[in-house]
């Protein structure tokens, strides 16, 4: 549950309370060397202007030892003040989530990445930032794919104040333009039920919502989420004076399935990565031929991408 809500730093799981509020930004400047003061809550097709390093067929089916870039970053962390309780405050490009956004990175967040542990929301959001900068920024893909911050829309917040969450979702839709042409809004959704994550991808122009869950089941497990998403889409279209030509259609995608209790977060990120890399607004019900399943190596590839990004951005 430690990553159920909010933008956060890692924290021991026995000190996490699932109904904690999303933290606000500290009034003092948080920078390198500042001790932690914020408590946590818990293919490949070439795209315009960007190209991923390897095709799916080139990815090995088994994972090996840690890569050189991961070992390099791990060494940087070990030698930094982060190991002694310092944090890093990082500001995202406003284009990532349609508004100003920041994250706090601490030792625990880096350990999640190095140890293939359950990813916290800070790491999830940082990988989303990586996808925006590496695959989308400066290309037409910025008009086709949009991200919604998981710290703003999740099961815990919906339970507390569904109207506020609905309005936040509408505001995100409004920030991206008129949405009269097909495009997707990615919502990495935390269920609040044991910390499971699913991906909700919304096409507002065609009134289609794709549901991708790396465990069995569909959106009926989370009725409040579906109700909130539907209400937000209807309110957005009303504010834009668009006619609701038909009912909203939800599609359960037969996506790759995880085989353990920690990989749902990795799978949600990989789903978004592959959809963007393939430049596909329409997600096949049987998912993409290129990615019928994910091996551990597919997930390790993502970790290496994020490690390289963290080094390049000089976050540590």
């Amino acid at each position: 549950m430690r990553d159920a809500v909010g933008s956060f730093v890692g924290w021991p799981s026995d000190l996490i309370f699932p109904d904690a509020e999303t933290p606000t930004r500290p009034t003092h400047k948080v920078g390198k060397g500042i001790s932690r003061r914020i408590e946590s809550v818990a293919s490949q097709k070439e795209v315009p202007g960007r190209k991923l390093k390897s095709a799916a067929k080139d990815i090995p089916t088994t994972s090996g030892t840690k890569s050189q870039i991961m070992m390099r970053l791990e060494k940087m962390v070990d030698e930094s003040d982060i190991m002694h309780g310092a944090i890093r405050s990082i500001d995202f490009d406003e284009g990532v989530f349609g508004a100003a956004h920041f994250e706090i990175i601490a030792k625990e967040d880096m350990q999640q990445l190095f140890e293939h542990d359950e990813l916290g929301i800070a790491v999830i959001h940082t990988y989303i930032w990586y996808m925006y900068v590496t695959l989308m920024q400066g290309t037409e893909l910025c008009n086709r794919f949009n991200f919604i911050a998981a710290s703003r829309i999740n099961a815990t917040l919906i339970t507390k104040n569904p109207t506020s969450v609905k309005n936040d979702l509408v505001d995100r839709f409004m920030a991206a333009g008129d949405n009269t042409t097909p495009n997707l809004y990615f919502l990495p959704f935390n269920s609040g039920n044991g910390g499971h994550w699913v991906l909700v991808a919304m096409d507002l122009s065609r009134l289609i919502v794709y549901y991708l869950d790396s465990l069995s089941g569909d959106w009926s497990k989370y009725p409040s989420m579906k109700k909130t998403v539907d209400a937000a889409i209807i309110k957005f279209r009303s504010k834009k004076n668009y006619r609701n030509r038909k009912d909203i259609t939800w599609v359960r995608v037969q996506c790759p399935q995880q085989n353990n209790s920690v990989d749902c977060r990795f799978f949600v990120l990989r789903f978004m990565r592959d959809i963007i890399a393939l430049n596909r607004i329409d997600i096949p019900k049987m998912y993409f031929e290129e990615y019928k399943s994910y091996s551990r190596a597919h997930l390790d590839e993502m970790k290496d991408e994020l490690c390289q990004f963290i080094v390049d951005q000089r976050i540590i």
Side-chain angles (χ1 to χ4, degrees), residues 242-261:
Y242 298 153
R243 289 187 303 168
N244 291 319
R245 304 180 304 275
K246 58 182 181 178
D247 293 335
I248 299 169
T249 300
W250 283 66
V251 178
R252 179 175 177 249
V253 179
Q254 304 295 318
C255 54
Q257 300 289 284
Q258 67 189 86
N259 59 9
N260 59 30
S261 61

Side-chain angles (χ1 to χ4, degrees), residues 139-295:
T139 76
E140 67 178 26
L141 298 185
C142 285
N143 298 321
R144 291 173 62 82
F145 302 103
N146 305 278
F147 299 107
I148 299 169
S151 54
R152 307 281 302 179
I153 317 290
N154 54 62
T156 302
L157 294 179
I158 289 174
T159 299
K160 287 185 171 185
N161 194 336
T163 300
S164 176
V165 173
K166 178 188 69 177
N167 291 336
D168 279 347
L169 198 48
V170 172
D171 288 344
R172 179 63 184 104
F173 297 156
M174 296 292 289
D178 61 10
N179 294 285
T180 56
T181 57
N183 60 82
L184 285 181
Y185 286 84
F186 292 122
L187 169 60
F189 180 77
N190 182 269
S191 67
N193 182 18
H196 183 55
W197 290 72
V198 301
L199 178 63
V200 178
M202 296 160 277
D203 182 342
L204 304 186
S205 67
R206 296 186 297 170
L207 293 178
I208 297 175
V209 179
Y210 298 99
Y211 179 88
L212 293 86
D213 189 344
S214 56
L215 295 177
S216 59
D218 61 20
W219 54 84
S220 62
K221 295 187 293 186
Y222 315 117
S224 62
M225 178 272 290
K226 181 180 184 300
K227 181 179 179 180
T228 301
V229 168
D230 286 347
I233 293 175
I234 292 171
K235 181 174 181 179
F236 163 76
R237 293 183 65 84
S238 176
K239 291 184 72 171
K240 285 288 190 176
N241 294 318
Y242 298 153
R243 289 187 303 168
N244 291 319
R245 304 180 304 275
K246 58 182 181 178
D247 293 335
I248 299 169
T249 300
W250 283 66
V251 178
R252 179 175 177 249
V253 179
Q254 304 295 318
C255 54
Q257 300 289 284
Q258 67 189 86
N259 59 9
N260 59 30
S261 61
V262 302
D263 279 351
C264 59
R265 299 153 175 83
F266 289 99
F267 274 58
V268 163
L269 293 172
R270 185 80 201 198
F271 294 151
M272 291 188 284
R273 178 192 188 275
D274 292 341
I275 293 166
I276 295 169
L278 292 170
N279 195 8
R280 292 285 297 272
I281 298 298
D282 58 318
I283 305 174
K285 188 173 182 179
M286 301 306 295
Y287 205 53
F288 304 109
E289 288 296 330
E290 294 89 338
Y291 299 105
K292 288 299 186 182
S293 63
Y294 293 148
S295 68

Side-chain angles (χ1 to χ4, degrees), residues 50 93 128-137 309 313:
R50 301 289 186 270
D93 299 318
I128 289 174
W129 181 27
Y130 155 78
M131 289 189 289
Y132 175 82
V133 170
T134 305
L135 297 179
M136 296 170 51
Q137 194 169 40
F309 183 70
Q313 294 293 321

Side-chain angles (χ1 to χ4, degrees), residues 43-96:
S43 202
Q44 302 249 6
K45 175 182 178 182
E46 184 173 357
V47 297
R50 301 289 186 270
K51 186 175 181 180
L52 295 178
K53 292 183 178 180
S54 58
K57 64 183 180 180
D58 298 325
I59 298 176
T61 56
T62 57
S63 59
T65 58
K66 290 182 178 179
S67 66
Q68 290 186 350
I69 186 60
M70 180 173 287
M71 290 188 292
R72 177 186 172 189
L73 179 58
E74 196 167 14
K75 185 174 185 293
M76 291 172 62
V77 171
D78 287 341
E79 294 176 349
S80 75
D81 54 2
I82 286 181
M83 295 302 294
H84 305 289
I87 60 173
R88 302 291 186 265
S89 177
I90 52 177
D91 293 305
F92 287 21
D93 299 318
E94 289 193 8
V96 179

